[in-house]
Amino acid sequence: MPSGCVSPCSPWRGHDDLVSIMLKVKGSTMSLIFEARLSVKRWSSRSRASRASSVLASVLLVAATVSAQTPTPRTPSSPQTDPTRPPSVERPTPQIPPGTAPAQPSTPAPAILQPSTHANAAPVQGSPPGTATQQPDEGTPNPLLQARPLPPLPSMTRLGVSADQTLALSLNEAVRRALENNTDIEVAREEVRFAETVLRSLEGVYDPVFVATPQFNSRVTPVASTLGGSGSSGTVNTTDINYDSSLTRQFKKGGGQYEFFFNNTRETTSSTFSSLNPFYSSSLGVRFTQPLMRNREIDLSRRTIRIQQRLVAQTDADFRRRTIDVITSVQVAYWDLVLALRDQQNRLANLKLTRELHRQNEARIAAGSVAPFERAEVQTELANRESELLESSQNVTIAENNLKQLILHDSLAPEWSAQLTPTDEPVFDETPVSLADALTEARANRPELKRLGLQKEINDIDLQYFKSQARPRLDIEAVVATTGLAGSPIVATGTVPGGQAQTGPLIGGNANTNPSAFLLQQINDLRQRQGLPAATVPQITSQAGGVPARLAGGYFQTLRNLSTLKTRNIVVGVRLELPLHNRAAKEQLAGAQIRRTQLETTVRGQDQAIEAEVRNAAQTVEIARQRVLAARSARESAELQLQGERRLYEFGHSTTFLLFQRQNQLAGTLNQQLRAVTDYNKALAVLQRATSTTLKANNVTVERAAGER
């Protein structure tokens, strides 16, 4: 073994052979101990010899320089030189902050040679005056040269999220959940349903209306003359029982209206002039009204229904627009979550690389190949990357909660405690976007343009209605009816009760109630006083009750008489209504014309806004596409740079600072590429919203509303 070696020096074999060279220079007044440790890879024999010669030359040069500068008198004890200090560099021993205990390593790094200790250890240079410096024992290792353990990984637990409850979620599944559970879509869906119910209620004006009015009417009417049929009482008692019914309906076209009616009456009276008591009367007919000028093309009911139909279509357009917005929001939130999770994975991978470098650096410090001050640089980078990891965890929580808010039904859903795991990867297409096709699709599909078109149709309806109201009203009215009558005949003087034609006296009846019978009784009294015989009353043949036989009977006889159409009622006429000024209709028409001009201006403004939105969205997609290509190239270059820097570091031609810089550059390019790809997918979603192709792109079908044409 050569002189001055603590281990065999001649072979230089092994992948990580450790060469220790110790040179002791002794003089009359000083003793210098210098150690140089060098970790090398597998070199060629020529390279190993050259490397060893360089190291030996450096050691001899430093030793000679220190020996020449050392004074001749011998001191009781010489300061201990930092074993990890590079040659020809003066550096004070690292100091521990006051009140801080040095970290004690749990286990020293195995398979690494520990720095040698010297018996003549001196006080640490740079110690405060008056401070006693501990003299390490011969076998006590220097704490600064001990390998320190790795700190634990930061906790990745998030509040309110269970680690054992995960929910795998694809983009289509997220869209489906949002369409089913999103509160905004639910509100928009109910708006459409409400508008449809309003439309159906307005269309109810064309439903047939059946009306039945049973009545009981009892009247006692004073009569000033006996010709009124009151007799000696001076009043006429009448009792009516009415049952009238009708069926009315309006026409959907033309503005006409028809009414079928069937009226029935049973009347009992004390009038002496009534031949039938009680009697039944019925009438059956139809009444028809048709406008000829005003309200013929459009009336208030048809105007309201047509406007409501457009309003239903508008709510449907609003629902489609809201659905597109929600789907776009879900897509953006989904890709934000993908980006946050990928960023968290990259931060964690960088942290693990730093931890591995920390472990290797501690091993080198323990072996004496690097100075302890390099530990601070590694620990600083380790703390920075732990902070970045925690920040990325916060970004994951925010992105996840934003997506949950869109796809969950309420705050009590159990999925709030689950971890969302996206299963879809961002897509990328190098084909540029066609601006002309995007503008064409936007003009054909945008709900805003459809809504304005419906508003113009509503204005056209108002113009038509107000023009109709400015005209005179001319209606044709017609009534066609048939009637029937029947009742119980009253037996009068000269009649024989029985219901058939019979022969009887001309004057008969009770003298107290029948005037003719009373006069006949007085005449016979006078003739008797004069000794004359009673007057002879002639016999006559009379019909039963003095009424036609077809009128004698009950209610069913009335219906039979009704069906013969022998008694009827036909009325045809017109109704003319001519307003003298009609300022209300004229001013309303003028207001509708002004509204028309406003709508045309609004349509032009909306068309320009859509033009700008589509152009901006298409440009965003194109820029995102170029960013992806640039980030991909930057990532490939950063990977090559890191590989080269890592080789230089392994061979001792680089520093920890440069290695960290290359790692940070690669991490930055990875994040840039991931962000560029996710921004590209988000830009596609925004472009789909601008062109209103979101529903088609996501295979979503919206049923047409009831009032939509």
Side-chain angles (χ1 to χ4, degrees), residues 471-514:
R471 300 172 183 173
R473 180 174 181 178
L474 181 63
D475 299 345
I476 183 172
E477 298 178 349
V479 178
V480 177
T482 178
T483 60
L485 180 66
S488 300
I490 297 177
V491 179
T493 302
T495 63
V496 178
Q500 296 181 359
Q502 297 181 359
T503 301
L506 178 61
I507 299 175
N510 189 356
N512 294 326
T513 59
N514 194 330

Side-chain angles (χ1 to χ4, degrees), residues 53-270:
S53 301
S54 300
V55 172
L56 291 174
S58 300
V59 170
L60 294 174
L61 179 61
V62 173
T65 303
V66 174
S67 177
Q69 296 178 356
T70 304
T72 303
R74 183 175 182 180
T75 58
S77 60
S78 61
Q80 182 180 1
T81 305
D82 186 358
T84 61
R85 183 183 59 191
S88 71
V89 176
E90 293 294 335
R91 180 179 302 150
T93 304
Q95 300 181 11
I96 301 175
T100 304
Q104 297 298 330
S106 58
T107 55
I112 302 295
L113 292 178
Q114 301 295 332
S116 58
T117 58
H118 308 284
N120 54 347
V124 180
Q125 297 181 6
S127 300
T131 303
T133 304
Q134 292 182 350
Q135 300 294 333
D137 297 335
E138 181 68 22
T140 303
N142 191 340
L144 294 177
L145 302 179
Q146 295 297 313
R148 297 182 181 180
L150 284 172
L153 282 171
S155 176
M156 305 296 293
T157 304
R158 293 182 285 135
L159 295 178
V161 179
S162 177
D164 56 353
Q165 184 180 0
T166 59
L167 177 61
L169 193 67
S170 65
L171 182 58
N172 289 335
E173 178 67 15
V175 171
R176 185 189 66 81
R177 285 174 173 264
L179 295 179
E180 292 178 354
N181 302 324
N182 187 264
T183 55
D184 293 337
I185 289 184
E186 186 174 354
V187 171
R189 186 184 296 115
E190 295 303 325
E191 286 291 339
V192 176
R193 293 177 180 174
F194 177 76
E196 291 175 351
T197 58
V198 173
L199 176 60
R200 287 192 293 267
S201 67
L202 293 176
E203 291 176 344
V205 71
Y206 297 115
D207 295 339
V209 179
F210 176 77
V211 179
T213 55
Q215 290 182 347
F216 175 80
N217 189 2
S218 179
R219 301 184 303 276
V220 179
T221 306
V223 179
S225 172
T226 57
L227 297 178
S230 61
S232 59
S233 63
T235 59
V236 176
N237 298 330
T238 304
T239 301
D240 296 337
I241 299 177
N242 302 322
Y243 185 82
D244 299 339
S245 59
S246 63
L247 182 66
T248 306
R249 185 178 182 182
Q250 295 183 4
F251 291 109
K252 292 184 177 180
K253 296 182 179 180
Q257 176 179 310
Y258 67 87
E259 177 185 2
F260 289 104
F261 58 88
F262 182 43
N263 301 329
N264 299 276
T265 301
R266 180 185 184 278
E267 182 175 320
T268 302
T269 181
S270 62

Side-chain angles (χ1 to χ4, degrees), residues 136-435:
D137 297 335
E138 181 68 22
T140 303
N142 191 340
L144 294 177
L145 302 179
Q146 295 297 313
R148 297 182 181 180
L150 284 172
L153 282 171
S155 176
M156 305 296 293
T157 304
R158 293 182 285 135
L159 295 178
V161 179
S162 177
D164 56 353
Q165 184 180 0
T166 59
L167 177 61
L169 193 67
S170 65
L171 182 58
N172 289 335
E173 178 67 15
V175 171
R176 185 189 66 81
R177 285 174 173 264
L179 295 179
E180 292 178 354
N181 302 324
N182 187 264
T183 55
D184 293 337
I185 289 184
E186 186 174 354
V187 171
R189 186 184 296 115
E190 295 303 325
E191 286 291 339
V192 176
R193 293 177 180 174
F194 177 76
E196 291 175 351
T197 58
V198 173
L199 176 60
R200 287 192 293 267
S201 67
L202 293 176
E203 291 176 344
V205 71
Y206 297 115
D207 295 339
V209 179
F210 176 77
V211 179
T213 55
Q215 290 182 347
F216 175 80
N217 189 2
S218 179
R219 301 184 303 276
V220 179
T221 306
V223 179
S225 172
T226 57
L227 297 178
S230 61
S232 59
S233 63
T235 59
V236 176
N237 298 330
T238 304
T239 301
D240 296 337
I241 299 177
N242 302 322
Y243 185 82
D244 299 339
S245 59
S246 63
L247 182 66
T248 306
R249 185 178 182 182
Q250 295 183 4
F251 291 109
K252 292 184 177 180
K253 296 182 179 180
Q257 176 179 310
Y258 67 87
E259 177 185 2
F260 289 104
F261 58 88
F262 182 43
N263 301 329
N264 299 276
T265 301
R266 180 185 184 278
E267 182 175 320
T268 302
T269 181
S270 62
S271 175
T272 57
F273 294 106
S274 178
S275 301
L276 300 173
N277 192 25
F279 68 88
Y280 301 90
S281 64
S282 300
S283 62
L284 176 65
V286 59
R287 183 180 292 106
F288 176 76
T289 302
Q290 174 60 48
L292 300 179
M293 296 183 67
R294 185 195 302 175
N295 296 331
R296 185 178 67 87
E297 296 178 354
I298 185 173
D299 55 10
L300 181 60
S301 298
R302 282 178 287 176
R303 170 181 176 260
T304 306
I305 291 175
R306 292 176 184 177
I307 290 178
Q308 186 62 30
Q309 287 175 344
R310 273 65 179 183
L311 293 178
V312 171
Q314 282 186 341
T315 58
D316 182 77
D318 295 340
F319 174 74
R320 292 174 182 270
R321 180 61 181 173
R322 188 56 190 155
T323 303
I324 290 174
D325 291 341
V326 170
I327 293 177
T328 304
S329 300
V330 170
Q331 290 175 322
V332 172
Y334 188 88
W335 297 127
D336 284 341
L337 179 59
V338 171
L339 174 62
L341 290 174
R342 290 290 185 84
D343 181 69
Q344 185 185 44
Q345 294 174 0
N346 291 338
R347 302 294 183 186
L348 182 59
N350 291 338
L351 177 60
K352 290 181 178 180
L353 288 176
T354 308
R355 289 170 61 86
E356 176 63 21
L357 189 59
H358 178 276
R359 185 191 64 79
Q360 296 177 3
N361 192 65
E362 290 296 326
R364 290 188 177 95
I365 292 175
S369 60
V370 296
F373 76 90
E374 293 194 9
R375 176 184 292 124
E377 183 176 357
V378 177
Q379 290 178 345
T380 301
E381 188 67 21
L382 187 64
N384 291 336
R385 295 192 177 183
E386 287 181 355
S387 177
E388 293 174 355
L389 179 61
L390 294 175
E391 184 179 356
S392 66
S393 179
Q394 173 66 14
N395 294 334
V396 170
T397 300
I398 295 175
E400 189 177 74
N401 289 335
N402 291 337
L403 182 58
K404 288 179 179 179
Q405 184 179 4
L406 292 170
I407 66 175
L408 299 183
H409 186 268
D410 51 36
S411 59
L412 301 179
E415 290 83 356
W416 279 101
S417 301
Q419 292 183 357
L420 299 184
T421 304
T423 59
D424 289 351
E425 298 291 335
V427 297
F428 176 69
D429 187 5
E430 297 184 2
T431 305
V433 177
S434 175
L435 179 60

